[in-house]
Amino acid sequence: MAVFGLGGKGEKGEHAGSEKPKLEFDPLQAARALPWLVALLGALALWCLIAGGLRLRDDSRLHSLESARDDAALAIRRKLDEQRRKLDARLASAEFKAALTAGGPQAATALRKGWPEVMRAEVWPADLDASYAGLPRSGFGPLAAAEAALSSGKTSVRVVQAGTARRLALAAPVQAAGVRVAYAEIPLDALSNIIETTKLPGGVYIALRQGGQSVIEGGDTALSNSAEALSVKIPDSDLRLVAATPDETRVPFGLGALAGVVLGLVLAGIAAVLWLVLRPRLLAMGGQAEVEAGPTLAELQPAKPAEERTLHERVKEEPKPVKEKVPVVIDHRIFRAYDIRGVIGHSLDAGVAELIGQAVGSSMAEQGLDTIVVGRDGRLSGPDLVQGLIAGLRKAGRNVIDIGMVPTPVVYFGTFHLRTGCGVAVTGSHNPPDYNGFKIVVGGETLSGPAIKDLHARIAEDRLLEAEAQGTLDERDIGQDYVQRISGDVQIGQRLKVVVDAGNGVAGEIGPQVLAAVGADVTPLFCDIDGEFPNHHPDPSEPRNLEALIQMVQKLDADIGIAFDGDGDRLGVVTKAGNIIYPDRLLMLFAADVLERNPGAVIVYDVKCTSRLSTQILRHGGSPMMWKTGHSLIKAKMRETDAALAGEMSGHFFFAERWFGFDDGIYAAARLLEILDGQGQPAEDVFAALPDGVSTPEIKVELPGETDPHEFVDRLRLSATFEGGRLTSLDGVRVDWPDGWGLVRASNTTPVLVMRFDADNNDALARIQRLFSANMLALEPNLQLPFC
């Protein structure tokens, strides 16, 4: 609002035009403008005072919580030391030593004697063979405690699951009468009481954690996700106390609590002076006691005749016609368990892609998400599908960032790097050239199952958002950001010689760049991106697709061969001896590396992985967890369990440690080179040291006629008899014996059965295959099994 005006003519009229206009101070105008300034200063002062006061409260609460946490940690440490002393006293007693020498169950009885809290006491041979054979009934937790005691040579403490309850387990090596392990369990009440009686300030959270699990919690559990920032380790254990407070109140201008309060007082004082001192003087100077209120903007605006109103105003006033809902017919079979996938020209085209984009945009709008990353693989149908997808997303009012032709992991990376939390990779993965599809992330969650089906329902029922204004479109190249992010974290010292086979998939360009950037000597093989895949199918889980890579590794005397699938989210590995290193054995290597820095961490693997994997995870102090096959299902389980690492037999690897938790074959290859570099041995020797047996690759079997694979597996689960085996129906039918296991499940991506077998030797493998064959042929005699 103006407080200065232009003066009139000067005293000498003939020269007035040549004089500069005078700026005159108008006190009345200044007085009228002053309330706005005072209101602004007052609001800012109030903001500073309130924020500063709340920040003072937050700082005090944080200090109180840290003090309470430290007191609780000290109390827990003392309690654990007390229980260790009790165990040591029992092991040192003459009665226990005599019972141990005599053998039999007397040693466990002697261990329990004089220790009233003990609920379970046992003494095991150091090989732990009986305990491993009894899994899962014998419990993974007791085994992990025993392994930790044997490897460290001292008493280990761990929280274990006993039925529906948790207990505190203690395990100690016993040298008398041969090496053994003494094991005892006591109630967790002693530790629970410490947490429950800890005096906490209001609105905070505290928990005792082991690995990714909260064992005992107190306070506001909604704060659990941010509690690791205030964690302290309980010495000589895998336990830690974590704590969290609500987000700190932000003080304006990034000030501290006290500075915010002081600034608020200063601004309030200035506002008071302006209003109480300066304003009356300005009014007096202008000849008015008060400033009269003028008309509002609405009162000054004359009403327009109807014919002069803009088209936009008239349309806005007129009721909109109700749009008749017309069901849209779209092939529901392309909406699969983990993604959307169909055949170009039959079930999938640009029009279908537009509907899918609009459905994804509608889902985003409901969650308050406005921006999404879109990328595609190298298939010939990709540009048309991307164009349709983007049109649908923009129709729903979503802003699109098109990052071009990139591997699927780069799309996932883009959702973090560009802070969108949403992304769509247009890819047919490892399927034939005439396939294509969509892998979708909304709000940080990879869509699967019901969420995928909901997209179909939105389209079929015409529940699609059509925004008043289209979303924007931006084009970005983040390929080098991806390369730099990985190479900035992973570097190798020795110049490993690596052959990379991308199968003419989209990883052929950026995959070799990443491995060269981390320090490898890279030779590309079939790395020209070609959507026809002229050399071999881009699926490293099929051994025949790795033959050319093995030959090139041997010809060049390379250290290792790396294979990527069609969109770069899966990894295959071969050695110069011609050995294929299956993903479950790679996961053993990755798990050992991750657990060195994250003892007790949860490692998730799918039902197709070898049983030796869980043993290896336990031996390195981790918590193994078997789960259903499927990249989106594995990622969801990782978030649920706060797992540090996961992997699938198909070659998907998910690193949450040092990475973002999505499946990335290129990043996994970089981590593999880092491990091989650190071992200082030939890659062949590193892999040879991993536990191994006799195993098959994935065996894919088509069912005769119109038989549904899922229905067949359900019938097999209900009718099959596997003598001496333990059946698991987590995902299909898996049966474990002490010397091996077998699996049959229905693929969620193609209409086939997927089978795998693993055993200690060829005889055991043949026996397990015969048992599966007999049960499957009893249901479907025309089934063609390659191992019959």
Side-chain angles (χ1 to χ4, degrees):
M1 188 174 292
V3 295
F4 293 96
L6 293 175
K9 287 185 178 182
E11 293 178 3
K12 298 179 181 179
E14 64 274 15
H15 299 294
S18 62
E19 292 182 1
K20 292 183 180 179
K22 296 178 181 180
L23 294 176
E24 297 180 357
F25 176 69
D26 186 342
L28 192 57
Q29 287 284 73
R32 288 175 176 168
L34 200 60
W36 294 96
L37 179 60
V38 170
L40 178 62
L41 290 174
L44 189 56
L46 186 62
W47 182 19
C48 291
L49 288 169
I50 293 175
L54 292 175
R55 184 61 175 269
L56 285 172
R57 179 208 61 185
D58 293 344
D59 291 347
S60 174
R61 179 168 56 188
L62 176 61
H63 179 74
S64 299
L65 177 61
E66 289 176 334
S67 177
R69 176 205 61 192
D70 293 343
D71 290 344
L74 181 60
I76 290 172
R77 180 181 183 181
R78 289 171 176 168
K79 180 58 68 174
L80 296 182
D81 289 343
E82 176 189 336
Q83 297 302 325
R84 287 192 187 96
R85 287 193 294 271
K86 289 183 179 181
L87 177 58
D88 292 342
R90 296 309 307 149
L91 299 181
S93 67
E95 184 178 7
F96 175 78
K97 291 180 178 178
L100 194 63
T101 304
Q106 293 89 344
T109 304
L111 182 62
R112 184 190 296 266
K113 190 173 180 180
W115 195 358
E117 302 104 314
V118 172
M119 304 183 73
R120 176 185 175 187
E122 297 177 8
V123 179
W124 304 326
D127 57 21
L128 302 175
D129 286 346
S131 298
Y132 277 111
L135 288 173
R137 292 185 182 87
S138 57
F140 291 108
L143 270 172
E147 289 283 8
L150 289 170
S151 62
S152 66
K154 58 185 180 181
T155 303
S156 70
V157 179
R158 186 178 181 87
V159 175
V160 300
Q161 194 75 28
T164 58
R166 286 184 171 132
R167 295 177 185 169
L168 182 66
L170 296 96
V174 181
Q175 299 297 329
V179 179
R180 301 188 185 188
V181 179
Y183 178 81
E185 289 179 7
I186 62 174
L188 203 58
D189 296 349
L191 303 186
S192 300
N193 290 338
I194 293 173
I195 301 296
E196 291 169 1
T197 57
T198 297
K199 189 175 180 180
L200 300 173
V204 301
Y205 172 78
I206 192 170
L208 181 67
R209 283 185 180 171
Q210 178 176 268
Q213 300 291 319
S214 293
V215 178
I216 308 167
E217 295 180 296
D220 185 0
T221 56
L223 301 173
S224 62
N225 290 336
S226 59
E228 289 295 340
L230 295 176
S231 65
V232 293
K233 192 176 186 303
I234 308 298
D236 300 319
S237 76
D238 289 335
L239 299 172
R240 64 192 185 282
L241 262 181
V242 301
T245 63
D247 292 339
E248 292 180 336
T249 304
R250 294 189 178 185
V251 182
F253 315 115
L255 298 173
L258 190 56
V261 172
V262 171
L263 178 60
L265 292 173
V266 170
L267 292 174
I270 294 173
V273 169
L274 291 176
W275 186 259
L276 299 176
V277 178
L278 181 59
R279 181 173 178 273
R281 292 183 180 180
L282 290 173
L283 291 173
M285 291 170 61
Q288 262 188 269
E290 285 291 341
V291 180
E292 297 177 0
T296 66
L297 181 63
E299 292 169 342
L300 292 173
Q301 181 69 29
K304 295 181 183 178
E307 60 273 11
E308 293 182 10
R309 294 177 193 165
T310 66
L311 175 62
H312 175 72
E313 290 170 330
R314 281 184 276 132
V315 169
K316 191 173 181 181
E317 293 172 2
E318 295 171 1
K320 295 181 180 180
V322 178
K323 180 182 176 182
E324 184 181 353
K325 298 291 184 181
V326 179
V328 178
V329 179
I330 189 170
D331 189 348
H332 68 90
R333 292 171 296 182
I334 68 174
F335 295 84
R336 300 171 180 258
Y338 322 132
D339 51 32
I340 300 172
R341 198 175 302 174
V343 179
I344 298 299
H346 294 276
S347 55
L348 195 58
D349 58 21
V352 173
E354 181 174 344
L355 291 171
I356 290 170
Q358 197 172 357
V360 172
S362 302
S363 178
M364 289 174 59
E366 290 180 358
Q367 300 178 48
L369 305 167
D370 57 15
T371 307
I372 185 167
V373 174
V374 171
R376 64 176 178 87
D377 67 13
R379 291 166 188 267
L380 303 182
S381 58
D384 287 343
L385 292 187
V386 164
Q387 186 176 359
L389 177 74
I390 290 175
L393 289 165
R394 296 182 67 194
K395 186 179 290 187
R398 302 309 97 189
N399 302 321
V400 179
I401 303 175
D402 183 1
I403 61 173
M405 186 169 64
V406 294
T408 295
V410 179
V411 176
Y412 295 153
F413 170 77
T415 67
F416 292 91
H417 182 66
L418 300 175
R419 302 182 184 277
T420 67
C422 301
V424 179
V426 179
T427 175
S429 188
H430 59 281
N431 288 94
D434 56 342
Y435 276 74
N436 215 326
F438 308 87
K439 294 180 179 178
I440 304 165
V441 179
V442 175
E445 178 182 351
T446 303
L447 301 193
S448 65
I452 294 283
K453 298 298 183 186
D454 178 65
L455 296 179
H456 173 255
R458 287 178 184 274
I459 296 170
E461 298 166 10
D462 197 18
R463 292 188 288 109
L464 301 176
L465 171 65
E466 188 163 346
E468 292 185 3
Q470 278 204 348
T472 61
L473 174 61
D474 186 20
E475 294 182 358
R476 293 281 297 274
D477 182 356
I478 63 170
Q480 289 310 304
D481 297 321
Y482 175 79
V483 174
Q484 291 169 14
R485 173 64 176 79
I486 297 177
S487 61
D489 176 56
V490 179
Q491 284 291 312
I492 61 176
Q494 55 178 314
R495 194 76 171 168
L496 293 173
K497 195 170 184 180
V498 182
V499 180
V500 174
D501 180 359
N504 299 112
V506 72
E509 181 177 333
I510 203 168
Q513 286 183 38
V514 167
L515 300 187
V518 304
D521 180 3
V522 179
T523 299
L525 175 67
F526 308 142
C527 285
D528 295 330
I529 301 174
D530 187 336
E532 296 287 352
F533 310 122
N535 293 289
H536 65 73
H537 201 52
D539 183 359
S541 68
E542 292 287 349
R544 65 177 179 273
N545 295 328
L546 300 173
E547 292 172 358
L549 177 60
I550 292 172
Q551 292 172 7
M552 185 61 72
V553 170
Q554 294 172 337
K555 179 180 179 180
L556 298 177
D557 193 32
D559 294 292
I560 194 172
I562 297 294
F564 299 123
D565 72 331
D567 66 333
D569 61 2
R570 295 197 289 139
L571 170 67
V573 175
V574 303
T575 69
K576 68 175 67 177
N579 295 320
I580 298 172
I581 309 302
Y582 289 121
D584 50 0
R585 298 187 70 220
L586 289 175
L587 193 55
M588 294 179 187
L589 206 58
F590 291 142
D593 175 63
V594 168
L595 289 168
E596 281 186 9
R597 296 177 294 277
N598 303 272
V602 176
I603 312 294
V604 180
Y605 56 94
D606 78 327
V607 295
K608 294 186 287 185
C609 290
T610 177
S611 56
R612 296 179 191 84
L613 176 57
S614 63
T615 303
Q616 189 77 347
I617 293 169
L618 284 168
R619 289 190 183 278
H620 285 84
S623 302
M625 174 173 288
M626 182 188 294
W627 194 239
K628 301 174 183 179
T629 294
H631 66 92
S632 52
L633 303 178
I634 292 286
K635 278 180 271 193
K637 181 55 72 171
M638 286 185 73
R639 287 195 299 273
E640 178 187 330
T641 60
D642 195 23
L645 172 70
E648 291 185 280
M649 190 59 198
S650 59
H652 290 272
F653 295 99
F654 313 75
F655 287 86
E657 189 234 25
R658 295 165 52 191
W659 197 234
F660 300 101
F662 55 76
D663 40 333
D664 189 338
I666 299 171
Y667 179 76
R671 289 288 289 263
L672 176 61
L673 297 186
E674 180 186 55
I675 293 170
L676 295 177
D677 176 53
Q679 294 282 342
Q681 305 176 52
E684 204 80 53
D685 295 343
V686 174
F687 294 128
L690 298 173
D692 199 9
V694 181
S695 61
T696 69
E698 289 187 5
I699 301 170
K700 296 177 181 177
V701 178
E702 292 186 4
L703 283 162
E706 299 296 324
T707 306
D708 178 70
H710 294 275
E711 185 266 338
F712 177 86
V713 171
D714 286 339
R715 286 193 290 133
L716 181 66
R717 176 176 55 83
L718 295 173
S719 64
T721 302
F722 295 98
E723 185 176 351
R726 174 173 51 83
L727 189 149
T728 302
S729 58
L730 178 68
D731 183 7
V733 173
R734 173 170 170 150
V735 186
D736 286 77
W737 289 269
D739 57 353
W741 58 274
L743 167 75
V744 57
R745 60 180 293 275
S747 170
N748 284 311
T749 57
T750 52
V752 298
L753 296 175
V754 178
M755 307 184 69
R756 187 167 189 245
F757 301 94
D758 182 281
D760 292 344
N761 51 62
N762 286 317
D763 290 341
L765 186 72
R767 186 192 82 246
I768 294 169
Q769 287 181 329
R770 285 195 299 271
L771 286 169
F772 268 82
S773 175
N775 280 284
M776 294 173 70
L777 291 174
L779 289 177
E780 193 61 61
N782 295 324
L783 199 60
Q784 298 297 314
L785 299 176
F787 48 83
C788 290

